[in-house]
Amino acid sequence: MARIVMKFGGTSMAGIERIRSVAARVKREAESGNQVAVVVSAMAGETDRLVGFCREASALYDPREYDVVVASGEQVTSGLLAIALQAAGVPARSWLGSQVAIRTDAAHAKARIRTVDAHAIEAGWAAGEVAVIPGFQGVTEDGGGRVTTLGRGGSDTSAVAVAAALGADRCDIYTDVDGVYTTDPRIVPRARKLARVTYEEMLELASVGAKVLQTRSVGLAMKERVRVQVLSSFTGPDAPMAGDLPGTLIVSEEELGDVERQLITGIAHDKNEAKITLTRVPDKPGAVAAIFAPLADAGINVDMIIQNVAHQSGGSTDVTFTVPQSDLPRSLDALTQAQDAIGYDELLHDTRVAKVSVVGVGMRSHAGVASTMFTTLGQRGINVQAISTSEIKVSVLIDEDETELAVRVLHTAYGLDAG
Ligand code: ADP
Ligand code: ASP
Ligand code: MG
């Protein structure tokens, strides 16, 4: 008897008809003799709606209360799926994050899972029940057992954490595409589906915007060696069983072997960054620390950073960096309060930017990847505002309106288009 975790995303849970079809798929998996735990997202659009309410109530909302609000979407779908399963003749019950229990740190709105106690799920299994768990939510380990959420897209991480705690044979991530592609197939219809991708490449792709899996879910799967498969929930009742691996399997480098290894794995984009520029920052030791310390204190992650050449007169320089758009109001607030300590002139920001990244482990041994990127973008008149690199990635910041064009021309330039 295999232990299987099945995770269904927002579009798969959007409405009672779709929840019924999810129930049918879960039933098929349970009736083929597997022990099944299901992790669900809120209905598509619901979390955005709830986030919108919080922002409307106050731009500088209390993240603890934000979590109380946004975690509710998954509570609804977990109960509805349990009802649909029962109606289909499958014994089932829901387990909230606090009941499982999925314990996290207290970094509200982007909490990290510390422990998952899988005993409740196993007890449910012993009673013949499928367990349904709301993704995205947890409860603080200390600090009063408050509700937390794991950052946008966090249900993937809930699923992997539950799979690790249960020692599951597989964690199947059901979504609205049938696997991981060389780039977002909604932008490039000629993107190619990857039968297998390494943890490392998937981690990098996810971290630069390939939202098909949340970054933390991939890191956790890599650490805990959870076998993750991405596959479509939008297939008919005759579709191959998930055990036949019809989607994309995330594998280790050794498992991938040399034949499938590519120079470039894929291209990702991220429109959720915001660019901040501080003008005329004093060009002296400690100035940069004065900028980033208040942001770190506010729990804000800074991504790309560029410091311009010092102005000729006056010994000052402009500093530009990016933060997640959701953290922009908080960042501007922290920097405004620190203006005297930093000593900058103007605080500018721009949300009409996008980050486009090229990822591939082959970059380690091949020169010229960055040069191809800049040449290709230059030929199309796309201006690069900032650059960052890692061992297996090159990212550029460009005008948001040029995102789709940039992804498409780069996909062709690296020879990724399907035949
Ligand atoms: P879910 O609600 O199921 O969690 P998401 O919207 O979070 O689904 O993730 C699935 C989406 O990820 C797809 O609809 C697709 O547009 C997008 N996506 C981005 N990059 C990729 C990629 N490289 N491969 C597949 N899908 C991708
Ligand atoms: N509902 C949450 C979100 O939209 C979590 C998830 O779907 O993974 O971000
Ligand atoms: Mg998702």
Side-chain angles (χ1 to χ4, degrees), residues 349-364:
H349 68 272
D350 185 0
T351 53
R352 301 197 48 75
V353 290
K355 186 170 73 170
V356 174
S357 309
V358 175
V359 172
V361 287
M363 271 183 217
R364 286 196 194 117

Side-chain angles (χ1 to χ4, degrees), residues 158-208:
S158 309
V160 171
V162 167
L166 288 167
D169 297 270
R170 247 184 20 249
C171 179
D172 291 333
I173 307 281
Y174 287 87
T175 182
D176 54 6
V177 285
D178 62 353
V180 177
Y181 282 72
T182 46
T183 194
D184 188 339
R186 296 187 196 285
I187 291 192
V188 181
R190 296 172 68 151
R192 270 189 289 119
K193 184 174 142 185
L194 302 164
R196 306 200 294 172
V197 62
T198 65
Y199 288 110
E200 209 184 2
E201 289 168 320
M202 192 64 237
L203 189 63
E204 200 81 38
L205 274 173
S207 74
V208 290

Side-chain angles (χ1 to χ4, degrees), residues 116-385:
V116 176
D117 180 353
H119 289 106
I121 300 172
E122 285 170 331
W125 279 349
E129 283 168 356
V130 165
V132 185
I133 300 144
F136 188 47
Q137 62 172 253
V139 60
T140 53
E141 203 171 26
D142 22 62
R146 298 195 67 157
V147 173
T148 53
T149 62
L150 311 177
R152 296 305 305 270
S155 296
D156 298 329
T157 304
S158 309
V160 171
V162 167
L166 288 167
D169 297 270
R170 247 184 20 249
C171 179
D172 291 333
I173 307 281
Y174 287 87
T175 182
D176 54 6
V177 285
D178 62 353
V180 177
Y181 282 72
T182 46
T183 194
D184 188 339
R186 296 187 196 285
I187 291 192
V188 181
R190 296 172 68 151
R192 270 189 289 119
K193 184 174 142 185
L194 302 164
R196 306 200 294 172
V197 62
T198 65
Y199 288 110
E200 209 184 2
E201 289 168 320
M202 192 64 237
L203 189 63
E204 200 81 38
L205 274 173
S207 74
V208 290
K211 68 166 186 160
V212 61
L213 286 176
Q214 198 203 29
T215 311
R216 280 186 189 168
S217 72
V218 187
L220 189 61
M222 180 155 91
K223 182 164 152 267
E224 303 284 340
R225 290 287 158 199
V226 176
R227 218 167 161 71
V228 174
Q229 177 182 210
V230 176
L231 70 173
S232 174
S233 66
F234 291 82
T235 51
D238 303 330
M241 290 293 288
D244 296 333
L245 303 178
T248 297
L249 193 64
I250 320 292
V251 298
S252 65
E253 288 224 24
E254 306 81 68
E255 216 181 330
L256 188 71
D258 287 334
V259 182
E260 287 174 74
R261 199 152 291 154
Q262 302 280 336
L263 170 61
I264 300 300
T265 312
I267 298 171
H269 71 278
D270 186 355
K271 293 185 178 177
N272 293 318
E273 298 220 0
K275 184 175 80 167
I276 295 178
T277 299
L278 299 181
T279 67
R280 299 198 166 270
V281 176
D283 190 20
K284 61 174 194 208
V288 176
I291 297 171
F292 295 112
L295 295 174
D297 290 344
I300 294 160
N301 291 324
V302 173
D303 183 16
M304 306 171 106
I305 303 176
I306 44 173
Q307 179 170 350
N308 291 339
V309 183
H311 290 286
Q312 290 293 314
S313 57
S316 66
T317 173
D318 293 350
V319 178
T320 296
F321 52 91
T322 61
V323 296
Q325 256 178 47
S326 55
D327 284 333
L328 183 63
R330 227 177 287 284
S331 305
L332 296 177
D333 186 52
L335 292 165
T336 305
Q337 287 189 36
Q339 179 163 17
D340 290 345
I342 303 169
Y344 64 83
D345 187 1
E346 271 182 297
L347 171 58
L348 310 172
H349 68 272
D350 185 0
T351 53
R352 301 197 48 75
V353 290
K355 186 170 73 170
V356 174
S357 309
V358 175
V359 172
V361 287
M363 271 183 217
R364 286 196 194 117
S365 47
H366 287 77
V369 171
S371 147
T372 302
M373 187 172 196
F374 305 142
T375 307
T376 308
L377 295 175
Q379 281 166 350
R380 291 299 183 129
I382 298 172
N383 187 38
V384 173
Q385 304 177 19

